[in-house]
Amino acid sequence: MGKKAATKENNVRTCAACGVKGDKGSLLRFVAAGGLIVPDWRGALGGRAVYACPTSACVSRFYTLKRLPEKFFKGTPAFAVPQGEIHGWIRMQAEASITHFLGLARKSGIMRTGQNTLAESLERGTATPAAVLLAADLAERTVRGMIAAVPAGVPLLRWGTKESIGAATGMRPVGVIALAASPITNRIVHYCAIINHFCQEL
Ligand SMILES: [Zn+2]
């Protein structure tokens, strides 16, 4: 019983900009390498790391910190991706990750496509989705219909075009995707939230 709690505790990190604690997987990771602070999108690089919330405000603040913890980085912070490019860089990584996880969602059979399929399953009350993805170029009428049909509490994500969602999932263009509960779905929700945070600034 203590083991589970300890594991959870190990995954908690603190944002270097605002000091709020969060799950490691939900924060942006930076490592020090070759005298620079390098963003580590996939959490794959070794070494000491610091973390920041994946929001425009915290990333901007992180970049203007005069000092970081000594054992992480000595002296004035120097960044591999310059401040003027980091927002675009994060957005690009998030886009690529959504594309990647949509492909995985298709392969693992956790997605249903198309407005009619979703409407039918909602009517029957079977298989309530964990999230619904709507293409940004979906007709307004369809969007309104989906907002009305999808139960409250189910995240409605707006991302991509029918074309790009089709390409990511290896299908024809598709504007509505229902995702079942899965760690893959959690990642897609997470990356869409990051893009929403950042696109307000772009
Ligand atoms: Zn923060």
Side-chain angles (χ1 to χ4, degrees), residues 35-37 62-70 72-80:
L36 292 172
I37 298 162
F62 176 67
Y63 264 75
T64 53
L65 293 174
K66 298 272 185 285
R67 283 283 183 275
L68 287 162
E70 276 275 302
F72 172 71
F73 197 88
K74 286 187 174 58
T76 307
F79 293 90

Side-chain angles (χ1 to χ4, degrees), residues 15-20 27 52-53 55 58:
C15 169
C18 73
V20 167
L27 298 170
C53 301
T55 63
C58 281

Side-chain angles (χ1 to χ4, degrees), residues 124-186:
R124 284 199 310 268
T126 57
T128 302
V132 174
L133 176 66
L134 305 177
D137 59 349
L138 201 61
E140 260 323 298
R141 190 168 46 86
T142 312
V143 173
R144 282 198 301 271
M146 284 291 119
I147 291 171
V150 172
V154 175
L156 273 172
L157 315 169
R158 297 301 297 274
W159 178 82
T161 60
K162 292 181 225 172
E163 195 80 43
S164 63
I165 294 174
T169 53
M171 298 183 295
R172 284 173 301 165
V174 55
V176 177
I177 285 191
L179 295 156
S182 148
I184 296 172
T185 299
N186 296 345

Side-chain angles (χ1 to χ4, degrees), residues 44-132:
L45 304 176
R48 282 188 186 281
V50 291
Y51 294 80
C53 301
T55 63
S56 180
C58 281
V59 170
S60 298
R61 198 157 157 209
F62 176 67
Y63 264 75
T64 53
L65 293 174
K66 298 272 185 285
R67 283 283 183 275
L68 287 162
E70 276 275 302
K71 55 188 176 186
F72 172 71
F73 197 88
K74 286 187 174 58
T76 307
F79 293 90
V81 178
Q83 183 168 14
E85 291 168 25
I86 188 65
H87 286 60
W89 186 90
I90 288 168
R91 195 189 161 96
M92 203 178 71
Q93 301 296 323
E95 297 276 357
S97 290
I98 293 173
T99 302
H100 170 72
F101 280 98
L102 279 175
L104 282 185
R106 170 83 201 279
K107 284 191 196 114
S108 32
I110 59 157
M111 66 159 61
R112 289 158 176 272
T113 58
Q115 179 192 354
N116 296 337
T117 316
L118 177 59
E120 276 167 29
S121 72
L122 287 173
E123 238 165 64
R124 284 199 310 268
T126 57
T128 302
V132 174

